[in-house]
Amino acid sequence: KVKAQIEEKEGKTFDVFTAVEFKTQVVAGTNYFIKVHVGNEEFMHLRVFKSLPHENEQLSLHSYKGSKTKHDELAYF
């Protein structure tokens, strides 16, 4: 659901965009830290926020880090 947001920020499209790992952090909603394979040996780490149900908000891309590898640890950022 956040692929279009990251493509807009990066100014390119991704043929491959597959989540391979995730972690969560409960706040006033939920932060999802997601490792995404974006093709070849390239990965990105995304932080996506999901609001509480009563707020009825869309998933939002909070931040991301590019130039990651398959073996880079997925951690809070």
Side-chain angles (χ1 to χ4, degrees), residues 3 6-7 13-21 34-46 65 68-71 74:
K3 181 181 180 194
I6 194 79
E7 288 177 335
T13 59
F14 296 101
D15 294 330
V16 177
F17 199 82
T18 307
V20 295
E21 180 183 349
I34 308 167
K35 184 184 293 186
V36 178
H37 179 226
V38 293
N40 299 321
E41 296 300 316
E42 295 182 48
F43 290 79
M44 298 181 95
H45 291 182
L46 312 180
K65 292 184 176 184
K68 295 293 185 177
T69 69
K70 182 178 183 177
H71 302 290
L74 184 59

Side-chain angles (χ1 to χ4, degrees), residues 1 12 15 21 26 28 34 45 50 52 55 63 69 73:
K1 292 195 176 210
K12 60 183 177 181
D15 294 330
E21 180 183 349
V26 177
I34 308 167
H45 291 182
K50 182 179 181 184
L52 295 171
E55 294 175 347
S63 57
T69 69
E73 182 181 353

Side-chain angles (χ1 to χ4, degrees), residues 24-36:
T24 60
Q25 176 191 40
V26 177
V27 289
T30 304
N31 280 323
Y32 290 90
F33 299 91
I34 308 167
K35 184 184 293 186
V36 178

